[in-house]
Amino acid sequence: MPHFTIKNRFQKRSELYEDILTRDILRDVSLRITGRPDFTVDFDNDGYNKGRLATLEYQGTIIYISFSEFEIRSRNSFFQSFPSALVRYHQETSTNKRICFYFLPPNGNIQTDYFIFMYRLMKTAGTEFLNEADHLTTPITPFNSVADIIALRDLNRSRNTGNASTYVTVNENDTLQIYGKTYGANKYETTLLCLAIYEITQYEMELYEIQEGNLRLLPALARQVIIARGVTVITSDLTLEQEEYEANDSLRSPTYTYNLLEKLGDKKCVLCDCEIPQIIQGAHIWPVVSIKRANNINQDRKLQYAIDGDNGIWLCNNHHKLFDINMLLITDDGQIKYKTNIEENHEDYICDVTSNHQIPNQILTQSFVEYLDKRNRLLDESRYSFIE
Ligand SMILES: [Zn+2]
């Protein structure tokens, strides 16, 4: 006979079990999974918060069932239980296992763009929805590619500025990198995104835990499960950033990359629109070598300048190099100039490959312009011409 184990989250107050997981609901779940209306139930009280989770054992298979929240206080609260359930499912040692999600009758709109995005991530991560047809007007489709995830995520992001906490990109070594914040609700989204992408990517994966102040790592179980999938997890704290600043001029600083993704969006050369992430890098406006040489600034402040999202743009390899050797210059109002009195065919090449002649206004913040001033004060602008 199907046997349910109800995890303790539902049992914190004794009435909750009766209110939420009624026998009618359990019968419905059992019917949908096993085809049988009869079942036995007991409780698991080991003190963990297991994320609105029940398990069902039947014919040698263990099925993890995560139940939706009733109250839609915020979009994050609705999804905070599921990733914990997914983590527990991955920790299950039996190979005969399934992960399912069951909609309890909702109290609010559960079909916003963000909700649909999250359902699709859940399905991509291997989740079966037991009763989606009863609650959603269109079926949930899993993502086929990481590019689809990024594209839809950006669509959501433009309508919800400031809500983004996780970014996905590919670096020059063809490694897929996930940059995630790890506090509050962000940790749930980061965990789910990581486990969903793992199912569909061919790339090596790195997860960067972006720290702010004393905020913590991902929850230990989630971290273990992600590492067990072969993902390299790197914590970006100030010690690591300091080492990166000293050894490599912050070129591979995770926090710098995170800050640029947050300010500029996905990698795209600002001078030629190239979007091939493997050949695009964060280019410092005020170069780190100059920051290091600056007088009267303490080390902590210097590090902040080196990893500031306002101190950078995305450039492709060619434009990064041309910018670094000052064959290109950005004026304080964001126009692009090139160095004259060089070989004519070199001038022609630079003008040909530089299709954009102006840095977009939203990049030209006050801090950005201050960094430009620090850079340009060493250059003679009269030796540069506007690109025709
Ligand atoms: Zn370029």
PDB file of all heavy atoms in Angstrom, residues 303-337:
ATOM      1  N   LEU A 303      40.809  48.597  -3.446  1.00  0.00           N
ATOM      2  CA  LEU A 303      40.139  47.371  -3.855  1.00  0.00           C
ATOM      3  C   LEU A 303      38.712  47.683  -4.306  1.00  0.00           C
ATOM      4  O   LEU A 303      38.226  47.141  -5.307  1.00  0.00           O
ATOM      5  CB  LEU A 303      40.145  46.371  -2.692  1.00  0.00           C
ATOM      6  CG  LEU A 303      39.462  45.027  -2.954  1.00  0.00           C
ATOM      7  CD1 LEU A 303      40.120  44.298  -4.124  1.00  0.00           C
ATOM      8  CD2 LEU A 303      39.510  44.147  -1.707  1.00  0.00           C
ATOM      9  N   GLN A 304      38.039  48.563  -3.578  1.00  0.00           N
ATOM     10  CA  GLN A 304      36.670  48.931  -3.972  1.00  0.00           C
ATOM     11  C   GLN A 304      36.637  49.552  -5.370  1.00  0.00           C
ATOM     12  O   GLN A 304      35.746  49.249  -6.168  1.00  0.00           O
ATOM     13  CB  GLN A 304      36.057  49.908  -2.943  1.00  0.00           C
ATOM     14  CG  GLN A 304      35.753  49.276  -1.591  1.00  0.00           C
ATOM     15  CD  GLN A 304      34.932  47.988  -1.707  1.00  0.00           C
ATOM     16  OE1 GLN A 304      33.954  47.936  -2.432  1.00  0.00           O
ATOM     17  NE2 GLN A 304      35.359  46.942  -1.010  1.00  0.00           N
ATOM     18  N   TYR A 305      37.609  50.414  -5.685  1.00  0.00           N
ATOM     19  CA  TYR A 305      37.670  50.992  -7.035  1.00  0.00           C
ATOM     20  C   TYR A 305      37.892  49.902  -8.083  1.00  0.00           C
ATOM     21  O   TYR A 305      37.344  49.959  -9.174  1.00  0.00           O
ATOM     22  CB  TYR A 305      38.818  52.019  -7.135  1.00  0.00           C
ATOM     23  CG  TYR A 305      38.584  53.295  -6.370  1.00  0.00           C
ATOM     24  CD1 TYR A 305      39.608  53.885  -5.633  1.00  0.00           C
ATOM     25  CD2 TYR A 305      37.342  53.936  -6.402  1.00  0.00           C
ATOM     26  CE1 TYR A 305      39.411  55.071  -4.934  1.00  0.00           C
ATOM     27  CE2 TYR A 305      37.137  55.122  -5.702  1.00  0.00           C
ATOM     28  CZ  TYR A 305      38.170  55.680  -4.967  1.00  0.00           C
ATOM     29  OH  TYR A 305      37.967  56.839  -4.279  1.00  0.00           O
ATOM     30  N   ALA A 306      38.728  48.918  -7.726  1.00  0.00           N
ATOM     31  CA  ALA A 306      39.093  47.877  -8.697  1.00  0.00           C
ATOM     32  C   ALA A 306      37.919  46.962  -9.031  1.00  0.00           C
ATOM     33  O   ALA A 306      37.879  46.358 -10.098  1.00  0.00           O
ATOM     34  CB  ALA A 306      40.274  47.054  -8.174  1.00  0.00           C
ATOM     35  N   ILE A 307      36.965  46.838  -8.108  1.00  0.00           N
ATOM     36  CA  ILE A 307      35.855  45.908  -8.354  1.00  0.00           C
ATOM     37  C   ILE A 307      34.522  46.634  -8.529  1.00  0.00           C
ATOM     38  O   ILE A 307      33.466  46.007  -8.609  1.00  0.00           O
ATOM     39  CB  ILE A 307      35.735  44.851  -7.216  1.00  0.00           C
ATOM     40  CG1 ILE A 307      35.441  45.504  -5.866  1.00  0.00           C
ATOM     41  CG2 ILE A 307      36.984  43.992  -7.150  1.00  0.00           C
ATOM     42  CD1 ILE A 307      35.259  44.494  -4.733  1.00  0.00           C
ATOM     43  N   ASP A 308      34.568  47.956  -8.661  1.00  0.00           N
ATOM     44  CA  ASP A 308      33.343  48.746  -8.798  1.00  0.00           C
ATOM     45  C   ASP A 308      32.727  48.547 -10.197  1.00  0.00           C
ATOM     46  O   ASP A 308      33.430  48.678 -11.207  1.00  0.00           O
ATOM     47  CB  ASP A 308      33.703  50.228  -8.581  1.00  0.00           C
ATOM     48  CG  ASP A 308      32.475  51.126  -8.582  1.00  0.00           C
ATOM     49  OD1 ASP A 308      31.352  50.628  -8.800  1.00  0.00           O
ATOM     50  OD2 ASP A 308      32.650  52.344  -8.376  1.00  0.00           O
ATOM     51  N   GLY A 309      31.452  48.235 -10.234  1.00  0.00           N
ATOM     52  CA  GLY A 309      30.764  48.063 -11.516  1.00  0.00           C
ATOM     53  C   GLY A 309      30.738  49.324 -12.364  1.00  0.00           C
ATOM     54  O   GLY A 309      30.583  49.256 -13.585  1.00  0.00           O
ATOM     55  N   ASP A 310      30.876  50.485 -11.750  1.00  0.00           N
ATOM     56  CA  ASP A 310      30.946  51.724 -12.527  1.00  0.00           C
ATOM     57  C   ASP A 310      32.305  51.905 -13.185  1.00  0.00           C
ATOM     58  O   ASP A 310      32.454  52.724 -14.086  1.00  0.00           O
ATOM     59  CB  ASP A 310      30.664  52.942 -11.631  1.00  0.00           C
ATOM     60  CG  ASP A 310      29.186  53.280 -11.601  1.00  0.00           C
ATOM     61  OD1 ASP A 310      28.543  53.215 -12.674  1.00  0.00           O
ATOM     62  OD2 ASP A 310      28.672  53.596 -10.509  1.00  0.00           O
ATOM     63  N   ASN A 311      33.291  51.142 -12.732  1.00  0.00           N
ATOM     64  CA  ASN A 311      34.631  51.264 -13.301  1.00  0.00           C
ATOM     65  C   ASN A 311      34.842  50.216 -14.390  1.00  0.00           C
ATOM     66  O   ASN A 311      35.829  49.491 -14.386  1.00  0.00           O
ATOM     67  CB  ASN A 311      35.690  51.122 -12.196  1.00  0.00           C
ATOM     68  CG  ASN A 311      37.092  51.422 -12.709  1.00  0.00           C
ATOM     69  OD1 ASN A 311      37.252  51.988 -13.777  1.00  0.00           O
ATOM     70  ND2 ASN A 311      38.099  51.014 -11.937  1.00  0.00           N
ATOM     71  N   GLY A 312      33.895  50.116 -15.325  1.00  0.00           N
ATOM     72  CA  GLY A 312      34.113  49.117 -16.364  1.00  0.00           C
ATOM     73  C   GLY A 312      33.060  49.095 -17.442  1.00  0.00           C
ATOM     74  O   GLY A 312      31.969  49.637 -17.291  1.00  0.00           O
ATOM     75  N   ILE A 313      33.423  48.470 -18.546  1.00  0.00           N
ATOM     76  CA  ILE A 313      32.506  48.182 -19.651  1.00  0.00           C
ATOM     77  C   ILE A 313      32.838  46.786 -20.162  1.00  0.00           C
ATOM     78  O   ILE A 313      33.926  46.268 -19.897  1.00  0.00           O
ATOM     79  CB  ILE A 313      32.677  49.194 -20.827  1.00  0.00           C
ATOM     80  CG1 ILE A 313      34.160  49.459 -21.093  1.00  0.00           C
ATOM     81  CG2 ILE A 313      31.916  50.492 -20.565  1.00  0.00           C
ATOM     82  CD1 ILE A 313      34.425  50.419 -22.250  1.00  0.00           C
ATOM     83  N   TRP A 314      31.890  46.191 -20.890  1.00  0.00           N
ATOM     84  CA  TRP A 314      32.201  44.936 -21.581  1.00  0.00           C
ATOM     85  C   TRP A 314      32.878  45.268 -22.903  1.00  0.00           C
ATOM     86  O   TRP A 314      32.371  46.093 -23.666  1.00  0.00           O
ATOM     87  CB  TRP A 314      30.925  44.143 -21.899  1.00  0.00           C
ATOM     88  CG  TRP A 314      30.156  43.583 -20.754  1.00  0.00           C
ATOM     89  CD1 TRP A 314      28.806  43.694 -20.551  1.00  0.00           C
ATOM     90  CD2 TRP A 314      30.637  42.742 -19.691  1.00  0.00           C
ATOM     91  NE1 TRP A 314      28.426  43.009 -19.426  1.00  0.00           N
ATOM     92  CE2 TRP A 314      29.525  42.415 -18.879  1.00  0.00           C
ATOM     93  CE3 TRP A 314      31.900  42.251 -19.339  1.00  0.00           C
ATOM     94  CZ2 TRP A 314      29.642  41.619 -17.739  1.00  0.00           C
ATOM     95  CZ3 TRP A 314      32.014  41.449 -18.197  1.00  0.00           C
ATOM     96  CH2 TRP A 314      30.896  41.147 -17.418  1.00  0.00           C
ATOM     97  N   LEU A 315      34.023  44.622 -23.168  1.00  0.00           N
ATOM     98  CA  LEU A 315      34.678  44.775 -24.467  1.00  0.00           C
ATOM     99  C   LEU A 315      35.099  43.406 -24.991  1.00  0.00           C
ATOM    100  O   LEU A 315      35.495  42.533 -24.204  1.00  0.00           O
ATOM    101  CB  LEU A 315      35.923  45.666 -24.347  1.00  0.00           C
ATOM    102  CG  LEU A 315      35.699  47.161 -24.055  1.00  0.00           C
ATOM    103  CD1 LEU A 315      37.041  47.876 -23.915  1.00  0.00           C
ATOM    104  CD2 LEU A 315      34.853  47.833 -25.146  1.00  0.00           C
ATOM    105  N   CYS A 316      35.044  43.245 -26.304  1.00  0.00           N
ATOM    106  CA  CYS A 316      35.575  42.028 -26.922  1.00  0.00           C
ATOM    107  C   CYS A 316      37.100  42.076 -26.841  1.00  0.00           C
ATOM    108  O   CYS A 316      37.692  43.123 -26.545  1.00  0.00           O
ATOM    109  CB  CYS A 316      35.101  41.893 -28.367  1.00  0.00           C
ATOM    110  SG  CYS A 316      35.802  43.144 -29.466  1.00  0.00           S
ATOM    111  N   ASN A 317      37.743  40.933 -27.125  1.00  0.00           N
ATOM    112  CA  ASN A 317      39.207  40.874 -27.003  1.00  0.00           C
ATOM    113  C   ASN A 317      39.892  41.991 -27.779  1.00  0.00           C
ATOM    114  O   ASN A 317      40.792  42.654 -27.260  1.00  0.00           O
ATOM    115  CB  ASN A 317      39.727  39.519 -27.515  1.00  0.00           C
ATOM    116  CG  ASN A 317      39.494  38.414 -26.513  1.00  0.00           C
ATOM    117  OD1 ASN A 317      39.094  38.673 -25.367  1.00  0.00           O
ATOM    118  ND2 ASN A 317      39.718  37.180 -26.928  1.00  0.00           N
ATOM    119  N   ASN A 318      39.482  42.192 -29.035  1.00  0.00           N
ATOM    120  CA  ASN A 318      40.136  43.223 -29.854  1.00  0.00           C
ATOM    121  C   ASN A 318      39.946  44.612 -29.262  1.00  0.00           C
ATOM    122  O   ASN A 318      40.899  45.376 -29.133  1.00  0.00           O
ATOM    123  CB  ASN A 318      39.548  43.218 -31.278  1.00  0.00           C
ATOM    124  CG  ASN A 318      40.241  42.187 -32.148  1.00  0.00           C
ATOM    125  OD1 ASN A 318      41.234  41.593 -31.734  1.00  0.00           O
ATOM    126  ND2 ASN A 318      39.719  41.976 -33.339  1.00  0.00           N
ATOM    127  N   HIS A 319      38.709  44.931 -28.905  1.00  0.00           N
ATOM    128  CA  HIS A 319      38.477  46.280 -28.385  1.00  0.00           C
ATOM    129  C   HIS A 319      39.102  46.481 -27.004  1.00  0.00           C
ATOM    130  O   HIS A 319      39.555  47.579 -26.677  1.00  0.00           O
ATOM    131  CB  HIS A 319      36.973  46.592 -28.374  1.00  0.00           C
ATOM    132  CG  HIS A 319      36.476  47.008 -29.728  1.00  0.00           C
ATOM    133  ND1 HIS A 319      35.506  46.318 -30.415  1.00  0.00           N
ATOM    134  CD2 HIS A 319      36.854  48.046 -30.522  1.00  0.00           C
ATOM    135  CE1 HIS A 319      35.301  46.920 -31.579  1.00  0.00           C
ATOM    136  NE2 HIS A 319      36.100  47.971 -31.667  1.00  0.00           N
ATOM    137  N   HIS A 320      39.152  45.402 -26.228  1.00  0.00           N
ATOM    138  CA  HIS A 320      39.798  45.506 -24.919  1.00  0.00           C
ATOM    139  C   HIS A 320      41.270  45.878 -25.096  1.00  0.00           C
ATOM    140  O   HIS A 320      41.793  46.786 -24.451  1.00  0.00           O
ATOM    141  CB  HIS A 320      39.656  44.176 -24.169  1.00  0.00           C
ATOM    142  CG  HIS A 320      39.982  44.294 -22.706  1.00  0.00           C
ATOM    143  ND1 HIS A 320      39.831  43.245 -21.834  1.00  0.00           N
ATOM    144  CD2 HIS A 320      40.457  45.320 -21.960  1.00  0.00           C
ATOM    145  CE1 HIS A 320      40.187  43.631 -20.607  1.00  0.00           C
ATOM    146  NE2 HIS A 320      40.576  44.886 -20.666  1.00  0.00           N
ATOM    147  N   LYS A 321      41.921  45.180 -26.011  1.00  0.00           N
ATOM    148  CA  LYS A 321      43.346  45.447 -26.238  1.00  0.00           C
ATOM    149  C   LYS A 321      43.541  46.866 -26.784  1.00  0.00           C
ATOM    150  O   LYS A 321      44.428  47.612 -26.316  1.00  0.00           O
ATOM    151  CB  LYS A 321      43.905  44.402 -27.218  1.00  0.00           C
ATOM    152  CG  LYS A 321      45.392  44.488 -27.423  1.00  0.00           C
ATOM    153  CD  LYS A 321      46.155  44.057 -26.172  1.00  0.00           C
ATOM    154  CE  LYS A 321      47.660  44.243 -26.357  1.00  0.00           C
ATOM    155  NZ  LYS A 321      48.391  44.059 -25.085  1.00  0.00           N
ATOM    156  N   LEU A 322      42.732  47.238 -27.768  1.00  0.00           N
ATOM    157  CA  LEU A 322      42.863  48.578 -28.357  1.00  0.00           C
ATOM    158  C   LEU A 322      42.623  49.675 -27.311  1.00  0.00           C
ATOM    159  O   LEU A 322      43.268  50.726 -27.327  1.00  0.00           O
ATOM    160  CB  LEU A 322      41.875  48.749 -29.526  1.00  0.00           C
ATOM    161  CG  LEU A 322      42.177  47.913 -30.774  1.00  0.00           C
ATOM    162  CD1 LEU A 322      40.989  47.917 -31.733  1.00  0.00           C
ATOM    163  CD2 LEU A 322      43.436  48.435 -31.468  1.00  0.00           C
ATOM    164  N   PHE A 323      41.705  49.393 -26.394  1.00  0.00           N
ATOM    165  CA  PHE A 323      41.411  50.357 -25.330  1.00  0.00           C
ATOM    166  C   PHE A 323      42.565  50.406 -24.328  1.00  0.00           C
ATOM    167  O   PHE A 323      43.021  51.473 -23.922  1.00  0.00           O
ATOM    168  CB  PHE A 323      40.093  49.929 -24.654  1.00  0.00           C
ATOM    169  CG  PHE A 323      39.564  50.896 -23.639  1.00  0.00           C
ATOM    170  CD1 PHE A 323      39.276  52.213 -23.966  1.00  0.00           C
ATOM    171  CD2 PHE A 323      39.312  50.478 -22.331  1.00  0.00           C
ATOM    172  CE1 PHE A 323      38.764  53.105 -23.028  1.00  0.00           C
ATOM    173  CE2 PHE A 323      38.798  51.356 -21.383  1.00  0.00           C
ATOM    174  CZ  PHE A 323      38.523  52.665 -21.727  1.00  0.00           C
ATOM    175  N   ASP A 324      43.066  49.212 -23.951  1.00  0.00           N
ATOM    176  CA  ASP A 324      44.157  49.144 -22.971  1.00  0.00           C
ATOM    177  C   ASP A 324      45.406  49.878 -23.448  1.00  0.00           C
ATOM    178  O   ASP A 324      46.122  50.488 -22.646  1.00  0.00           O
ATOM    179  CB  ASP A 324      44.531  47.681 -22.669  1.00  0.00           C
ATOM    180  CG  ASP A 324      43.671  47.088 -21.566  1.00  0.00           C
ATOM    181  OD1 ASP A 324      42.836  47.830 -21.001  1.00  0.00           O
ATOM    182  OD2 ASP A 324      43.827  45.887 -21.280  1.00  0.00           O
ATOM    183  N   ILE A 325      45.701  49.798 -24.750  1.00  0.00           N
ATOM    184  CA  ILE A 325      46.907  50.473 -25.247  1.00  0.00           C
ATOM    185  C   ILE A 325      46.570  51.879 -25.733  1.00  0.00           C
ATOM    186  O   ILE A 325      47.372  52.542 -26.403  1.00  0.00           O
ATOM    187  CB  ILE A 325      47.606  49.665 -26.361  1.00  0.00           C
ATOM    188  CG1 ILE A 325      46.679  49.463 -27.556  1.00  0.00           C
ATOM    189  CG2 ILE A 325      48.102  48.323 -25.820  1.00  0.00           C
ATOM    190  CD1 ILE A 325      47.343  48.779 -28.742  1.00  0.00           C
ATOM    191  N   ASN A 326      45.378  52.337 -25.387  1.00  0.00           N
ATOM    192  CA  ASN A 326      44.954  53.720 -25.651  1.00  0.00           C
ATOM    193  C   ASN A 326      44.933  54.078 -27.128  1.00  0.00           C
ATOM    194  O   ASN A 326      45.118  55.228 -27.499  1.00  0.00           O
ATOM    195  CB  ASN A 326      45.835  54.714 -24.873  1.00  0.00           C
ATOM    196  CG  ASN A 326      45.649  54.543 -23.369  1.00  0.00           C
ATOM    197  OD1 ASN A 326      44.526  54.483 -22.883  1.00  0.00           O
ATOM    198  ND2 ASN A 326      46.761  54.425 -22.662  1.00  0.00           N
ATOM    199  N   MET A 327      44.680  53.111 -27.997  1.00  0.00           N
ATOM    200  CA  MET A 327      44.400  53.452 -29.389  1.00  0.00           C
ATOM    201  C   MET A 327      42.957  53.917 -29.517  1.00  0.00           C
ATOM    202  O   MET A 327      42.579  54.511 -30.525  1.00  0.00           O
ATOM    203  CB  MET A 327      44.672  52.266 -30.303  1.00  0.00           C
ATOM    204  CG  MET A 327      46.166  52.053 -30.494  1.00  0.00           C
ATOM    205  SD  MET A 327      46.528  50.717 -31.618  1.00  0.00           S
ATOM    206  CE  MET A 327      47.056  51.624 -33.058  1.00  0.00           C
ATOM    207  N   LEU A 328      42.153  53.626 -28.509  1.00  0.00           N
ATOM    208  CA  LEU A 328      40.784  54.141 -28.442  1.00  0.00           C
ATOM    209  C   LEU A 328      40.642  54.945 -27.164  1.00  0.00           C
ATOM    210  O   LEU A 328      41.266  54.630 -26.144  1.00  0.00           O
ATOM    211  CB  LEU A 328      39.772  52.986 -28.442  1.00  0.00           C
ATOM    212  CG  LEU A 328      39.589  52.246 -29.764  1.00  0.00           C
ATOM    213  CD1 LEU A 328      38.818  50.955 -29.543  1.00  0.00           C
ATOM    214  CD2 LEU A 328      38.890  53.134 -30.796  1.00  0.00           C
ATOM    215  N   LEU A 329      39.803  55.957 -27.217  1.00  0.00           N
ATOM    216  CA  LEU A 329      39.587  56.822 -26.059  1.00  0.00           C
ATOM    217  C   LEU A 329      38.097  57.113 -25.949  1.00  0.00           C
ATOM    218  O   LEU A 329      37.406  57.246 -26.962  1.00  0.00           O
ATOM    219  CB  LEU A 329      40.396  58.113 -26.275  1.00  0.00           C
ATOM    220  CG  LEU A 329      40.257  59.275 -25.278  1.00  0.00           C
ATOM    221  CD1 LEU A 329      41.609  59.995 -25.162  1.00  0.00           C
ATOM    222  CD2 LEU A 329      39.187  60.276 -25.711  1.00  0.00           C
ATOM    223  N   ILE A 330      37.621  57.161 -24.718  1.00  0.00           N
ATOM    224  CA  ILE A 330      36.225  57.546 -24.485  1.00  0.00           C
ATOM    225  C   ILE A 330      36.229  58.955 -23.896  1.00  0.00           C
ATOM    226  O   ILE A 330      36.873  59.190 -22.866  1.00  0.00           O
ATOM    227  CB  ILE A 330      35.532  56.572 -23.510  1.00  0.00           C
ATOM    228  CG1 ILE A 330      35.603  55.133 -24.042  1.00  0.00           C
ATOM    229  CG2 ILE A 330      34.070  56.978 -23.294  1.00  0.00           C
ATOM    230  CD1 ILE A 330      35.108  54.079 -23.049  1.00  0.00           C
ATOM    231  N   THR A 331      35.551  59.880 -24.541  1.00  0.00           N
ATOM    232  CA  THR A 331      35.513  61.262 -24.025  1.00  0.00           C
ATOM    233  C   THR A 331      34.587  61.314 -22.809  1.00  0.00           C
ATOM    234  O   THR A 331      33.827  60.380 -22.549  1.00  0.00           O
ATOM    235  CB  THR A 331      34.987  62.236 -25.091  1.00  0.00           C
ATOM    236  OG1 THR A 331      33.606  61.922 -25.337  1.00  0.00           O
ATOM    237  CG2 THR A 331      35.775  62.131 -26.384  1.00  0.00           C
ATOM    238  N   ASP A 332      34.638  62.431 -22.088  1.00  0.00           N
ATOM    239  CA  ASP A 332      33.847  62.480 -20.850  1.00  0.00           C
ATOM    240  C   ASP A 332      32.345  62.553 -21.126  1.00  0.00           C
ATOM    241  O   ASP A 332      31.546  62.404 -20.206  1.00  0.00           O
ATOM    242  CB  ASP A 332      34.312  63.603 -19.922  1.00  0.00           C
ATOM    243  CG  ASP A 332      34.247  64.964 -20.592  1.00  0.00           C
ATOM    244  OD1 ASP A 332      33.688  65.048 -21.708  1.00  0.00           O
ATOM    245  OD2 ASP A 332      34.753  65.931 -19.997  1.00  0.00           O
ATOM    246  N   ASP A 333      31.950  62.780 -22.389  1.00  0.00           N
ATOM    247  CA  ASP A 333      30.522  62.638 -22.694  1.00  0.00           C
ATOM    248  C   ASP A 333      30.231  61.336 -23.449  1.00  0.00           C
ATOM    249  O   ASP A 333      29.163  61.182 -24.045  1.00  0.00           O
ATOM    250  CB  ASP A 333      29.978  63.857 -23.434  1.00  0.00           C
ATOM    251  CG  ASP A 333      30.701  64.108 -24.746  1.00  0.00           C
ATOM    252  OD1 ASP A 333      31.698  63.398 -25.025  1.00  0.00           O
ATOM    253  OD2 ASP A 333      30.272  65.000 -25.497  1.00  0.00           O
ATOM    254  N   GLY A 334      31.187  60.403 -23.407  1.00  0.00           N
ATOM    255  CA  GLY A 334      30.915  59.053 -23.886  1.00  0.00           C
ATOM    256  C   GLY A 334      31.126  58.826 -25.371  1.00  0.00           C
ATOM    257  O   GLY A 334      30.746  57.779 -25.892  1.00  0.00           O
ATOM    258  N   GLN A 335      31.747  59.784 -26.075  1.00  0.00           N
ATOM    259  CA  GLN A 335      32.007  59.550 -27.500  1.00  0.00           C
ATOM    260  C   GLN A 335      33.314  58.786 -27.679  1.00  0.00           C
ATOM    261  O   GLN A 335      34.227  58.906 -26.867  1.00  0.00           O
ATOM    262  CB  GLN A 335      32.074  60.881 -28.245  1.00  0.00           C
ATOM    263  CG  GLN A 335      30.736  61.613 -28.216  1.00  0.00           C
ATOM    264  CD  GLN A 335      30.767  62.839 -29.106  1.00  0.00           C
ATOM    265  OE1 GLN A 335      30.667  62.739 -30.319  1.00  0.00           O
ATOM    266  NE2 GLN A 335      30.932  64.001 -28.483  1.00  0.00           N
ATOM    267  N   ILE A 336      33.387  58.031 -28.767  1.00  0.00           N
ATOM    268  CA  ILE A 336      34.566  57.203 -29.018  1.00  0.00           C
ATOM    269  C   ILE A 336      35.496  57.921 -30.000  1.00  0.00           C
ATOM    270  O   ILE A 336      35.062  58.389 -31.058  1.00  0.00           O
ATOM    271  CB  ILE A 336      34.168  55.839 -29.623  1.00  0.00           C
ATOM    272  CG1 ILE A 336      33.061  55.169 -28.806  1.00  0.00           C
ATOM    273  CG2 ILE A 336      35.389  54.924 -29.742  1.00  0.00           C
ATOM    274  CD1 ILE A 336      33.395  54.940 -27.365  1.00  0.00           C
ATOM    275  N   LYS A 337      36.770  57.994 -29.650  1.00  0.00           N
ATOM    276  CA  LYS A 337      37.787  58.557 -30.545  1.00  0.00           C
ATOM    277  C   LYS A 337      38.899  57.523 -30.740  1.00  0.00           C
ATOM    278  O   LYS A 337      39.099  56.665 -29.886  1.00  0.00           O
ATOM    279  CB  LYS A 337      38.387  59.823 -29.928  1.00  0.00           C
ATOM    280  CG  LYS A 337      37.468  61.040 -29.971  1.00  0.00           C
ATOM    281  CD  LYS A 337      38.158  62.219 -29.291  1.00  0.00           C
ATOM    282  CE  LYS A 337      37.762  63.530 -29.947  1.00  0.00           C
ATOM    283  NZ  LYS A 337      38.543  64.654 -29.369  1.00  0.00           N
TER     284      LYS A 337
END
